[in-house]
């Protein structure tokens, strides 16, 4: 499995967990584990050379990582009764950037 395939599989797992949380809320420790996982994925993405990978594939994966990161941060903040204003603004900015650029989603 290539690094790109590994990252995509890990992102899909976090995306699945985010969806599951929307159906049946997870405990705070599970949300914090998800937060750690998506942070690890982001760091790996930023440090890997993806020779032979298209810009579109990289941009799609970058978007998915950021979307997961913001969603998980929002869920964890809600579970700890903290403000979600900043991560929600950043998630909205991400969506606006994609819609303005005619991008991925």
């Amino acid at each position: 499995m290539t690094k790109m395939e590994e990252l995509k599989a890990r992102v899909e797992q976090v995306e699945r967990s985010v969806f599951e949380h929307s159906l049946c809320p997870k405990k705070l420790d599970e949300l914090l584990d998800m937060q750690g996982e998506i942070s690890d994925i982001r760091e790996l993405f930023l440090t890997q050379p993806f020779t032979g990978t298209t810009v579109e594939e990289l941009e799609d994966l970058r978007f998915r990582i950021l979307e997961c990161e913001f969603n998980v941060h929002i869920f964890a903040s809600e579970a700890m009764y903290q403000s979600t204003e900043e991560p929600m603004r950043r998630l909205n900015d991400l969506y606006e950037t994609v819609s303005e650029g005619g991008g991925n989603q």
Side-chain angles (χ1 to χ4, degrees):
M1 180 179 281
T2 67
K3 285 290 182 189
M4 187 67 162
E5 291 169 336
E6 177 188 331
L7 282 173
K8 283 182 180 180
R10 289 176 68 185
V11 169
E12 287 172 11
Q13 185 175 20
V14 175
E15 288 172 330
R16 193 173 320 114
S17 294
V18 166
F19 176 71
E20 290 169 357
H21 175 75
S22 69
L23 298 175
C24 181
K26 297 182 177 293
K27 295 179 182 177
L28 178 59
D29 60 334
E30 293 175 278
L31 294 171
L32 295 176
D33 288 345
M34 287 169 55
Q35 204 168 28
E37 173 67 5
I38 199 65
S39 291
D40 290 346
I41 292 168
R42 180 177 39 86
E43 289 303 314
L44 186 59
F45 176 77
L46 293 173
T47 60
Q48 293 301 307
F50 291 108
T51 307
T53 305
T54 66
V55 171
E56 291 80 14
E57 288 176 302
L58 291 173
E59 186 60 25
D60 178 64
L61 186 56
R62 182 193 69 83
F63 174 87
R64 291 171 59 200
I65 291 168
L66 287 172
E67 182 181 41
C68 282
E69 192 170 34
F70 295 144
N71 279 319
V72 172
H73 186 87
I74 290 166
F75 294 150
S77 294
E78 287 173 339
M80 294 184 286
Y81 304 100
Q82 296 176 344
S83 173
T84 59
E85 185 176 337
E86 179 63 17
M88 289 182 82
R89 183 193 59 74
R90 293 179 67 196
L91 181 61
N92 189 53
D93 290 348
L94 177 67
Y95 290 146
E96 286 180 9
T97 300
V98 170
S99 66
E100 290 170 4
N104 306 334
Q105 302 297 321

